[in-house]
Amino acid sequence: MPQATQKHVQDSTGLADDAEDLDLQELDPITAPRGRTSPWHAGRLGATGRHYGSKIALKTLRNGSRGRGWEAHDVSPTADQGDLEGLLQDDGHHPKDRTVAQDNDAATSKDADGKASREILVGQAQKAKYPANVVSNAKYTPWSFLPRTLYNEFSFFLNIYFLLVALSQIIPFLRIGYMSTYIAPLAMVLTITIGKEAIDDIARRRRDGEANSEPFQAFPKTEDRLRPPNKFRGQRTTANGSYEDTVTKQSRTIRVGDIIKLKKNERFPADCIILQSIPNESMIMEASVEQTAQPTSDNRFSMERNSSESPSSGETFIRTDQLDGETDWKLRLPSPLTQSLLSPDFTRLRINAGAPSKNVVDFVGTIELLPEETSSYDPHVDKPSPANSAAPGEGTSDHNSSIVLAPLTIDNTAWANTVLASNTTTLAVVIYTGSQTRSAMSTAPSRSKTGLLENEINNLTKILCLLTLLLSIILVALEGFEPNNKKKWYVAILMYLILFSTIIPISLRVNLDMGKTVYARFIERDNGIPGTVVRTSTIPEDLGRIEYLLSDKTGTLTQNEMELRKIHVGTVSYANDAMDEVTMYVKQGFAGNNANDALQPSTLVTPSSSFATQVPNATATRTRREIGSRVRDLLLALAICHNVTPTTDEIDGQRTITYQASSPDEIAIVQYTENVGLRLVHRDRKTITLQSVASSRIAVKVQILDIFPFTSESKRMGIIVRFLTGDGSQQNPESPEEDVWFFQKGADTAMTSNVAANDWLDEETANMAREGLRTLVVGRKKLMPHQYESFSKAYKEASLALQHRDAGMASVVKAYLEHDLELLGVTGVEDKLQVDVKPSLELLRNAGIKIWMLTGDKVETARCVAISAKLVSRGQYIHTVAKIQEKTAAQDAIDFLRNKTDSCLLIDGESLSLMLTHFRVPFISLAVLLPAVIACRCSPTQKAEVANLIRQYTKKRVCCIGDGGNDVSMIQAADVGIGIVGKEGRQASLAADFSVTQFCYLTKLLVWHGRNSYKRSAKLAQFIIHRGLIISVCQTMYSIAGHFDPKGLFIDWLLVGYATVYTMAPVFSLVLDRDVDEKLANLYPELYKELKTGQSLSYSTFFTWVLVSIYQGTIIQGLSQLLVGAVTGPQLISVSFTVLVLNELIMVAVSVTTWHPIMILCIVGTGAIYAGSVPFLGRYFDLAYVVTWGWLWRVAAVAAISLVPVWGGKLIRRAWKPPTYRKVRGI
C-alpha cells in the first residue's frame, strides 16, 4: 500500500494554513502520493512521511472546486485533484479522458474444482445477478401451492375414495341421489384443509417478512466503477476521508457487493468478507485512563509501548453458536490490504470468491486493490508510481496491471447469522446472499408434515373400504348375482358401494382439521407457556406420541453463559457464600504497602512477594496466612494465564469494562477474579496490567514473553511472563532481580502428569466433574534466567523447522516447562443451564422419551453439560467414542456397546461420520436402545441425517428442538420441530412447527397439550367412524328387507343433516374433554408412555367400535321394522331416524370424562334443534304418526335396547380393568 501524506487538521470544518498550500510535486499525478491510510497508520508513518517544502498559495485558486461536496481536510488524492481542477479547469467539470483498469469479460469463472467462482466489485453494482437476501421458511410458492396441496390431499385414500364416488354420480345409471350430496362434502373438506395450509403458509411468510425487514447500516453503492473519484460528492466525509453518513437498508435489500457497518451484538445478515475492524473510541482511550489512575514512573514505558503498537490490527471476535453450535468465539481479521483503506477507496477493491458452499470452516479467495484513477494530465517525467507498491504484509503487486493482490481465508469471513462480539465497528462486504449463504445451504427445504394419527386413520379407512366392498359383494351374492332391478351384477356392486360410502365418513377430515385448529388455539392462549406459537397446525396430536427427543445444547439446554462456581486450593475449597472469604484474601494480598497514601505509588505484587508483608500487623494465624497466600497465588495465575482482552463500554454515561476472548470459559474466569477484587484493566501483545478493586491501585504489571494457546489436542494453555517489581519501573531483562514465571492451566487429564506429586487432585476433579463443572487445573513454575534463556533458544530453533514443526515445539515445551509444576488449585466453571432444564429432562425421561443431545461444541463441554443437566443419571457410565478413523476401531466400539446397553454414548462428529458411512444399520440399531446419546462436533447436515435415520429405522415419532440457524435442518427433518427464540436470531423458531421461548415449556407442550390433542382426536375419530358405520348398517338392514334393492334409506336432507346439524356439534364438543388435569399429568409423567403405544386409536379399539356400530345399527333398523310392522315408509323412517340421532347424542354423553359447559350446551341444544326441525320433515316423516304415543314408546324401546347393553358392557369393563387415568384420579 502507498504511504500516506502528512495531515494537518485544524478542526472538522476549517483548514490549516499549510493545507491551503500546494506542493509543486502535486502537479505531477504520477509522483504525487496516491494512497490513503487511516489515522493510526498516519501516526506510525509520521516520522518518515514526506515534508513539503516550497508551496503555492491556493486560497484564491480553489474557487473552481468549492461546493462540490468534498471538503479538503487532508492532502490526499481527492483533495489534490480538487486543487488541480481549480487550477486547470475554471468550468469545474472533470476531465473525461481517464485511464482505468480493464474489467473481466465475465463476472463468473471456473475455480480449480470446476465450480463457478464469482468476481465481486466492492461497493458497486455487480455484473451478474445473485439471489435476493431473503429468509424463506414458506412451504409453497404462489405457483406450487395448489398443485402441491391437492397432491398432498389426494395422497390420502379417504379423499381419493370420495372423489371417485362423486365422479360416479356423473354416470346416469349409477346416480342415486342429488350429485351435490356427494360433491359438496368433498369440496368443503378440500376447501377447509387447503385453507388451513394457506393460512399457515401466509403466517410463515409474514414472519419471514419481519426477519427480512431487519434494518442494517450500509454505505451507499455506486452504480459504475468507471465513474471518477468525485462520484462521492454529496456524501459527507470526516476529516480522515471516511463516510460519516450511512443509509439504512432492510435485510432483504442487501445485495452482493454492499458494504455494511455493524457494531457489537449485531448479526451479519449475509456471508461477508471483513474489510475493516475499527476499535471504538473507548478502547483506544482506555490506556490513557489506566495511566491516569496510576501516576507512576512507568508511564514513560506505557506511552512508548502504545505509540509503538498500533491498535489497527483489526482483530475482532464473532459468535458462531447460531451457525455451528460452538460456544467459543472466533477470531476474525480483515486483510491488511483493506484495514488501512479509507471507505471511499473501497470501490477500488475486487474480490474473487469460490462457488457457494455449505462448508462453514473453509474459504479460499483473493482480494485485489485496483489502481486509483487519475486525470488526463500528461506529466513531463515518467516515474514509477508509489501507488503500485504494496506495503509489507499487505499483498503482492502485479506490476503489469498495477493491481495489489492479497489472499482471503476463513479468518477474513463472517457468515450469515453470526454475531459481532467485539466492542468494535466492523465494515464488511457481502459476497453471498439468500439461498447461497452457508447457513441456507446447510438447511433442507421445508416439507409438508403429516401426523401419525392421520396415517393411522388413513389405514383404517382402507379397512372400511374393504368391508364396504365385501358387504356389497355379499348382498349381490345373496341374490345369486341376478339383481331384481334388471341391472348387471357389477353395476349393483357399484351402487351398493355408493350407498355404503357413508361407512367412510368424509366429515372425518373436516372435524379433525377443525379440532387441530382448536388445539392450536389452546396452546397459544396458555398463560403457562407465554409466547408459544403454532406454526404448523396439522400435527398437534404428534406432540403426544414422541419417542425420541433430539436437542441442541448451546442456547437450548444452556444459556451459553459461563460462571466460575468453585475453587480448590489443596486444603480448602470455596463456593457460593464462601467466596466472601476469597474476596477478603484478595483485598489483603493485592492492597499494596502504600494503599493508604494516595500520593505515593503502591508496590507491585509478584509471586515472590510475601503475603504477610502486605498486611502489616496482621493478627491472622499462620494457617490463615498460608491459605491466604495460596488463594492469592491461584487468583494471580487465573488473572494472568488467559487470552482475554478488556474493552471499555459506555453504558448510561458510565464507563464499564467488558471482556472479549475466544472462549467464554476464560471470560468467566476473568470476571470471577474481578468479582473477588482483582481486575484486568489492560492487555496487549506484550503487557498485562491488573488493578486491585478495593484500592483502585495498579497491583500487578507483567511483560508477556511467550504464549502457548489452547488446542483441542493439548487441552491446556500456558504463558511465560516477567513481573515488574517495585513501582513498575523494573523492566531490564538482564536484571538479576527479574521475576519470570511459567503459568499453565488445562484439563485434569492433561495436567495430572505436569504437576508435582499430590494426594488430592484426582479426588477433587472427580467431585467437580460429578457436579457437572468444567475443571481446570492451574500450576506454575519459576524460571531462572539461564533456564528461560535455554528454553527460548530451543523453542526458537524448533519454530524454524520445516518439518514436524508443531510436534517439535510441543516437545520443547514439554521438556523445559511441563514438569514438576507447583499445583496452585482447581477451578470449576459451570455452563449456566436454561430455566428448569434439570426437572424438565427428568420429567421427559420418566415419560419414556429417549433424549439425544446433538451439538457442535467440544467433547468436554458436552460431557459437563450432560452431567449438570442430569441428561446422564448419577453414576451412569459414559462411553466416549472420539477421533475414530479406522473401521476396526468403530467395530470395537459397537461390540462394546452391544454388551453394555445401559451406558450413555458420547461420540464426536468425525466418529459419527464413520459410523454412518460404514456401520449405518448396526450403529443406529444399537444407539436407539441406549438411554442417552450425546453427539459432539456435529454439522447441521449430520444433525438432520441422524433425525432422518431414527425416523426411518424405528418408525417412531422424533422431536427436534434447537435455537440456532444450525438447527434448522434438524428441525425440518423431524416429525415435530420445535424452535426456541434465540438471543441472536429467530431462524430456528421461524422454521419450526412450534415456537417456544424457553426449553422448560417443552414439557407442558408434550405432556399436557400433546396428551389432550391426541386423546381428543382419537375419541373424535372413533365417534365419527361410529356415526358413519351405524347409518350404513341401517342401510344394509333396509336393503336386505327390501329384497336387496340398492335404494337409499335416508336420502337427501336426512343424510346430510345427520352428518352435520344433528350430530356434528355434540361429537365435535369432544375436543373439550380431558381425562386428567394438568397437575396429574405432570405428577405422573408415566401416563405419557401409554400414549406412544397408540392404544387410544388402535386396531383393537377400531374393531370394538365396528362391532358396537353393527349391533346398534341392526337393533335400530331391524327392531324398528319389527315394531312398526313395515320395511319402508315414512312411519318407519321417522322412528329409525329419530332413534339414530338420539343414540348418537346419548353415546357422546356417556363417553365424556370431564364435562364442560359447552359440551352440555351442544348436546342439549342439538336435541332441541332436532325436535324443532321435525315439523319441517313432512317430506320424509309421517307427522301425524309422530305425535302419537305409539311413535313415542317405539322410539324409547328401540333406543333403550340399543344403548343399555353397550353402556353396561363399558361399566363392567371399566370395573374389571380400569384405565390408568382412573387409577391416578382415585376413582
Side-chain angles (χ1 to χ4, degrees):
M1 292 290 295
Q3 289 186 343
T5 58
Q6 188 80 13
K7 300 183 182 67
H8 300 279
V9 182
Q10 192 173 35
D11 53 37
S12 60
T13 58
L15 296 172
D17 290 340
D18 55 357
E20 294 290 334
D21 297 333
L22 176 66
D23 182 12
L24 292 174
Q25 296 183 25
E26 291 183 7
L27 296 179
D28 187 343
I30 291 185
T31 59
R34 300 173 181 269
R36 304 164 185 243
T37 58
S38 66
W40 308 324
H41 290 268
R44 285 196 295 176
L45 299 173
T48 59
R50 183 170 52 134
H51 295 277
Y52 294 98
S54 303
K55 299 184 179 181
I56 299 176
L58 295 178
K59 293 181 179 179
T60 59
L61 299 179
R62 297 179 62 93
N63 294 332
S65 63
R66 290 202 180 272
R68 296 191 179 186
W70 279 97
E71 295 178 343
H73 288 201
D74 58 16
V75 183
S76 61
T78 305
D80 296 345
Q81 187 158 349
D83 289 341
L84 291 178
E85 290 176 358
L87 180 63
L88 302 177
Q89 289 183 248
D90 292 335
D91 59 356
H93 293 291
H94 197 277
K96 296 182 179 179
D97 299 331
R98 316 195 56 85
T99 302
V100 297
Q102 297 297 322
D103 293 331
N104 292 338
D105 293 336
T108 60
S109 59
K110 298 290 184 180
D111 58 17
D113 297 331
K115 297 181 179 179
S117 60
R118 62 179 60 187
E119 177 189 279
I120 300 163
L121 304 177
V122 177
Q124 305 173 50
Q126 305 302 306
K127 300 176 183 178
K129 290 186 178 180
Y130 300 109
N133 191 49
V134 294
V135 175
S136 178
N137 293 294
K139 295 180 180 179
Y140 312 101
T141 65
W143 299 273
S144 68
F145 173 74
L146 202 56
R148 286 185 60 185
T149 51
L150 288 176
Y151 173 81
N152 292 334
E153 289 306 308
F154 287 111
S155 63
F156 286 99
F157 177 80
L158 185 72
N159 291 336
I160 283 286
Y161 177 80
F162 274 101
L163 177 63
L164 295 176
V165 170
L167 293 177
S168 69
Q169 297 304 290
I170 299 176
I171 304 174
F173 60 84
L174 291 179
R175 188 175 300 164
I176 294 178
Y178 293 110
M179 186 179 297
S180 59
T181 306
Y182 297 91
I183 296 293
L186 178 62
M188 184 175 67
V189 169
L190 295 178
T191 301
I192 293 176
T193 307
I194 294 176
K196 280 181 79 284
E197 280 291 311
I199 293 173
D200 288 346
D201 214 51
I202 290 172
R204 292 189 196 98
R205 288 185 176 275
R206 185 179 297 114
R207 289 185 290 267
D208 288 343
E210 295 174 359
N212 294 328
S213 300
E214 184 178 355
F216 291 91
Q217 296 299 311
F219 286 158
K221 179 184 285 188
T222 61
E223 296 181 358
D224 193 349
R225 186 175 59 82
L226 298 180
R227 290 189 178 183
N230 65 355
K231 59 183 170 288
F232 294 105
R233 291 174 180 173
Q235 295 294 332
R236 211 153 117 307
T237 60
T238 60
N240 62 9
S242 60
Y243 283 118
E244 212 176 56
D245 296 331
T246 56
V247 297
T248 300
K249 277 194 169 187
Q250 293 182 346
S251 179
R252 62 160 59 92
T253 63
I254 291 175
R255 298 291 183 264
V256 171
D258 281 356
I259 304 171
I260 58 175
K261 176 181 177 182
L262 296 103
K263 296 185 177 180
K264 185 177 181 180
N265 292 329
E266 292 183 349
R267 77 173 183 94
F268 287 85
D271 289 355
C272 300
I273 295 293
I274 296 177
L275 298 177
Q276 283 186 359
S277 183
I278 308 168
N280 289 342
E281 183 180 358
S282 57
M283 294 179 62
I284 299 175
M285 296 299 295
E286 74 179 60
S288 61
V289 173
E290 172 201 336
Q291 293 156 6
T292 303
Q294 176 66 15
T296 64
S297 60
D298 69 292
N299 280 1
R300 176 186 56 79
F301 166 72
S302 298
M303 293 292 287
E304 290 177 356
R305 179 198 66 216
N306 292 335
S307 63
S308 64
E309 284 194 23
S310 172
S312 63
S313 60
E315 294 182 358
T316 189
F317 288 95
I318 61 173
R319 292 196 296 269
T320 63
D321 53 300
Q322 293 287 310
L323 183 68
D324 55 19
E326 295 189 21
T327 56
D328 289 355
W329 294 2
K330 305 297 188 302
L331 176 65
R332 291 293 184 261
L333 298 166
S335 171
L337 185 65
T338 61
Q339 177 66 13
S340 58
L341 284 179
L342 296 181
S343 50
D345 288 332
F346 285 157
T347 53
R348 295 167 54 198
L349 295 173
R350 183 171 62 195
I351 294 176
N352 292 295
S357 169
K358 62 182 179 181
N359 188 348
V360 298
V361 297
D362 185 42
F363 176 77
V364 176
T366 60
I367 187 167
E368 302 171 353
L369 179 63
L370 303 179
E372 188 175 16
E373 299 168 356
T374 63
S375 69
S376 61
Y377 173 71
D378 186 16
H380 295 287
V381 181
D382 190 10
K383 300 178 181 180
S385 172
N388 296 340
S389 302
E394 294 181 350
T396 60
S397 177
D398 185 340
H399 293 284
N400 294 329
S401 60
S402 300
I403 295 176
V404 183
L405 187 68
L408 294 175
T409 66
I410 187 66
D411 294 331
N412 309 120
T413 63
W415 303 138
N417 300 323
T418 58
V419 178
L420 184 64
S422 299
N423 187 23
T424 60
T425 298
T426 296
L427 307 181
V429 59
V430 176
I431 58 172
Y432 303 113
T433 53
S435 59
Q436 294 183 342
T437 60
R438 258 47 174 187
S439 60
M441 295 188 71
S442 299
T443 303
S446 300
R447 64 183 181 92
S448 298
K449 297 182 179 181
T450 304
L452 181 59
L453 183 70
E454 291 197 15
N455 292 332
E456 292 172 344
I457 291 176
N458 196 46
N459 292 332
L460 295 180
T461 56
K462 294 176 183 178
I463 297 175
L464 290 174
C465 182
L466 291 176
L467 292 177
T468 304
L469 179 61
L470 181 62
L471 181 61
S472 302
I473 294 174
I474 290 174
L475 291 177
V476 175
L478 291 176
E479 296 181 89
F481 291 98
E482 294 182 2
N484 57 8
N485 57 2
K486 307 301 182 182
K487 294 183 179 180
K488 299 291 185 181
W489 62 270
Y490 52 84
V491 174
I493 291 177
L494 291 175
M495 293 185 69
Y496 276 122
L497 280 173
I498 296 169
L499 279 174
F500 295 145
S501 62
T502 52
I503 290 180
I504 306 174
I506 193 170
S507 60
L508 179 60
R509 288 295 306 280
V510 176
N511 283 270
L512 289 178
D513 286 341
M514 292 173 61
K516 296 175 195 293
T517 303
V518 174
Y519 309 148
R521 183 78 169 174
F522 286 158
I523 292 172
E524 294 182 336
R525 292 175 64 89
D526 191 337
N527 294 328
I529 49 175
T532 301
V533 178
V534 179
R535 306 199 189 281
T536 303
S537 60
T538 57
I539 54 173
E541 299 92 354
D542 279 9
L543 292 171
R545 310 286 296 278
I546 301 300
E547 289 269 4
Y548 294 90
L549 174 64
L550 276 56
S551 174
D552 177 43
K553 179 189 74 70
T554 307
T556 303
L557 298 179
T558 68
Q559 302 179 31
N560 197 21
E561 295 179 4
M562 310 299 173
E563 181 182 7
L564 194 149
R565 299 295 302 274
K566 190 174 184 180
I567 64 171
H568 195 286
V569 293
T571 57
V572 63
S573 63
Y574 298 93
N576 302 324
D577 296 338
M579 290 300 180
D580 294 337
E581 190 171 349
V582 176
T583 304
M584 180 190 67
Y585 286 135
V586 172
K587 181 178 180 180
Q588 295 175 353
F590 295 96
N593 57 358
N594 293 321
N596 297 325
D597 190 349
L599 301 178
Q600 296 294 327
S602 60
T603 301
L604 297 179
V605 179
T606 71
S608 303
S609 303
S610 171
F611 185 80
T613 60
Q614 296 170 47
V615 190
N617 303 322
T619 59
T621 63
R622 178 180 178 182
T623 302
R624 289 187 62 82
R625 286 199 301 271
E626 290 179 352
I627 294 175
S629 179
R630 290 181 181 180
V631 171
R632 183 205 66 181
D633 291 343
L634 176 60
L635 267 294
L636 180 60
L638 294 177
I640 291 176
C641 188
H642 55 72
N643 279 309
V644 179
T645 301
T647 63
T648 305
D649 289 333
E650 189 168 319
I651 302 176
D652 297 331
Q654 295 184 348
R655 300 174 70 88
T656 59
I657 292 180
T658 58
Y659 303 106
Q660 63 183 32
S662 62
S663 172
D665 295 57
E666 291 201 320
I667 293 178
I669 291 175
V670 175
Q671 285 176 338
Y672 167 77
T673 62
E674 179 182 2
N675 293 337
V676 296
L678 190 60
R679 177 185 295 133
L680 173 68
V681 292
H682 178 75
R683 189 219 174 98
D684 54 34
R685 295 180 180 178
K686 293 184 179 180
T687 62
I688 295 177
T689 304
L690 305 179
Q691 180 190 57
S692 171
V693 176
S695 63
S696 298
R697 298 278 185 158
I698 299 301
V700 179
K701 278 180 174 288
V702 299
Q703 289 179 291
I704 301 173
L705 302 179
D706 292 285
I707 294 180
F708 315 102
F710 177 91
T711 64
S712 57
E713 290 76 21
S714 67
K715 298 182 180 179
R716 57 188 180 272
M717 74 87 60
I719 187 172
I720 299 177
V721 297
R722 176 185 290 114
F723 283 84
L724 304 183
T725 58
D727 60 359
S729 61
Q730 174 63 44
Q731 39 181 320
N732 182 7
E734 302 298 330
S735 172
E737 300 178 3
E738 68 179 1
D739 222 358
V740 178
W741 289 79
F742 168 63
F743 293 95
Q744 189 175 59
K745 68 180 179 184
D748 56 308
T749 55
M751 292 291 293
T752 302
S753 61
N754 294 353
V755 298
N758 61 87
D759 58 357
W760 59 271
L761 178 59
D762 293 339
E763 179 182 359
E764 187 57 33
T765 54
N767 291 337
M768 290 188 181
R770 279 192 290 270
E771 297 177 26
L773 302 177
R774 304 194 204 184
T775 57
L776 283 177
V777 180
V778 185
R780 71 177 182 181
K781 173 186 283 190
K782 184 172 183 178
L783 301 178
M784 302 305 293
H786 68 277
Q787 290 177 317
Y788 177 71
E789 184 178 351
S790 299
F791 161 76
S792 182
K793 182 179 179 181
Y795 192 70
K796 184 176 181 180
E797 291 177 356
S799 65
L800 297 176
L802 297 179
Q803 295 182 347
H804 309 294
R805 178 182 298 174
D806 293 341
M809 295 168 66
S811 63
V812 170
V813 174
K814 184 71 176 177
Y816 284 85
L817 303 177
E818 294 181 340
H819 59 84
D820 298 326
L821 298 181
E822 178 188 354
L823 178 58
L824 296 178
V826 181
T827 65
V829 176
E830 180 189 42
D831 192 349
K832 287 185 180 180
L833 300 176
Q834 295 279 2
V835 179
D836 292 334
V837 162
K838 292 181 182 179
S840 298
L841 290 177
E842 182 180 3
L843 187 147
L844 293 175
R845 276 202 309 273
N846 292 336
I849 299 175
K850 294 183 179 180
I851 304 172
W852 291 35
M853 185 172 74
L854 309 180
T855 177
D857 220 332
K858 299 185 292 290
V859 173
E860 295 81 4
T861 305
R863 178 194 293 270
C864 293
V865 171
I867 295 173
S868 62
K870 306 301 180 185
L871 181 63
V872 179
S873 58
R874 189 178 184 88
Q876 186 177 14
Y877 173 71
I878 302 177
H879 182 63
T880 303
V881 178
K883 298 187 180 300
I884 290 182
Q885 298 178 346
E886 301 293 334
K887 290 194 288 185
T888 54
Q891 184 63 56
D892 292 341
I894 292 176
D895 293 339
F896 176 85
L897 288 172
R898 189 172 285 115
N899 298 321
K900 201 170 181 64
T901 55
D902 60 342
S903 63
C904 169
L905 172 63
L906 176 61
I907 186 171
D908 67 350
E910 183 180 1
S911 305
L912 179 63
S913 178
L914 182 66
M915 292 286 190
L916 296 180
T917 303
H918 300 287
F919 303 94
R920 193 177 189 88
V921 175
F923 170 75
I924 196 63
S925 61
L926 183 61
V928 295
L929 301 177
L930 301 177
V933 176
I934 305 164
C936 317
R937 295 296 189 188
C938 283
S939 66
T941 305
Q942 281 182 319
K943 291 184 177 183
E945 188 176 5
V946 169
N948 279 322
L949 192 57
I950 297 175
R951 287 178 52 236
Q952 295 167 6
Y953 181 81
T954 64
K955 307 300 181 184
K956 304 293 185 181
R957 296 286 100 173
V958 176
C959 174
C960 294
I961 181 170
D963 75 312
N966 61 314
D967 302 318
V968 171
S969 293
M970 175 180 71
I971 287 173
Q972 292 178 340
D975 296 299
V976 178
I978 300 178
I980 298 178
V981 180
K983 294 181 180 179
E984 282 86 25
R986 297 183 299 166
Q987 294 80 24
S989 64
L990 290 175
D993 304 309
F994 300 88
S995 173
V996 296
T997 56
Q998 296 184 31
F999 180 86
C1000 60
Y1001 293 168
L1002 178 64
T1003 57
K1004 188 170 187 179
L1005 200 61
L1006 300 185
V1007 175
W1008 175 239
H1009 289 289
R1011 176 184 184 83
N1012 288 339
S1013 298
Y1014 171 63
K1015 297 281 285 187
R1016 290 165 174 170
S1017 287
K1019 183 177 286 188
L1020 181 62
Q1022 289 170 343
F1023 265 92
I1024 294 174
I1025 291 174
H1026 167 264
R1027 186 177 63 188
L1029 270 172
I1030 193 172
I1031 195 173
S1032 297
V1033 173
C1034 291
Q1035 175 66 50
T1036 302
M1037 295 298 297
Y1038 174 75
S1039 298
I1040 294 174
H1043 303 287
F1044 306 103
D1045 185 12
K1047 220 166 70 173
L1049 171 62
F1050 308 120
I1051 59 174
D1052 300 336
W1053 168 250
L1054 295 183
L1055 188 63
V1056 175
Y1058 172 74
T1060 54
V1061 177
Y1062 299 145
T1063 60
M1064 185 173 179
V1067 172
F1068 187 73
S1069 69
L1070 291 173
V1071 299
L1072 303 174
D1073 193 17
R1074 55 184 174 88
D1075 52 1
V1076 295
D1077 58 22
E1078 182 181 349
K1079 182 179 179 180
L1080 286 177
N1082 290 323
L1083 187 61
Y1084 299 100
E1086 293 79 5
L1087 291 172
Y1088 190 86
K1089 292 182 180 180
E1090 65 180 18
L1091 300 181
K1092 298 184 296 181
T1093 62
Q1095 293 181 358
S1096 297
L1097 186 62
S1098 61
Y1099 289 114
S1100 174
T1101 58
F1102 169 72
F1103 285 109
T1104 299
W1105 278 97
V1106 168
L1107 293 177
V1108 169
S1109 301
I1110 292 175
Y1111 167 76
Q1112 290 186 330
T1114 302
I1115 293 298
I1116 291 173
Q1117 186 61 28
L1119 191 57
S1120 296
Q1121 292 176 358
L1122 292 175
L1123 294 179
V1124 174
V1127 296
T1128 186
Q1131 291 185 357
L1132 172 67
I1133 292 176
S1134 66
V1135 173
S1136 61
F1137 189 79
T1138 301
V1139 174
L1140 192 64
V1141 172
L1142 291 177
N1143 180 85
E1144 197 66 23
L1145 297 181
I1146 297 173
M1147 284 291 291
V1148 170
V1150 298
S1151 297
V1152 172
T1153 306
T1154 304
W1155 284 95
H1156 190 281
I1158 294 180
M1159 302 170 76
I1160 298 174
L1161 179 63
C1162 288
I1163 294 174
V1164 175
T1166 299
I1169 290 174
Y1170 176 72
S1173 67
V1174 168
F1176 301 96
L1177 300 179
R1179 179 183 173 188
Y1180 312 102
F1181 292 177
D1182 183 349
L1183 297 181
Y1185 179 67
V1186 169
V1187 296
T1188 64
W1189 285 104
W1191 176 86
L1192 185 61
W1193 75 260
R1194 287 177 174 84
V1195 168
V1198 174
I1201 297 174
S1202 170
L1203 289 166
V1204 172
V1206 175
W1207 186 40
K1210 182 178 180 180
L1211 292 176
I1212 295 172
R1213 184 175 182 275
R1214 182 178 296 174
W1216 179 261
K1217 188 180 179 180
T1220 308
Y1221 73 86
R1222 296 188 69 86
K1223 296 178 183 178
V1224 300
R1225 292 179 64 178
I1227 298 178

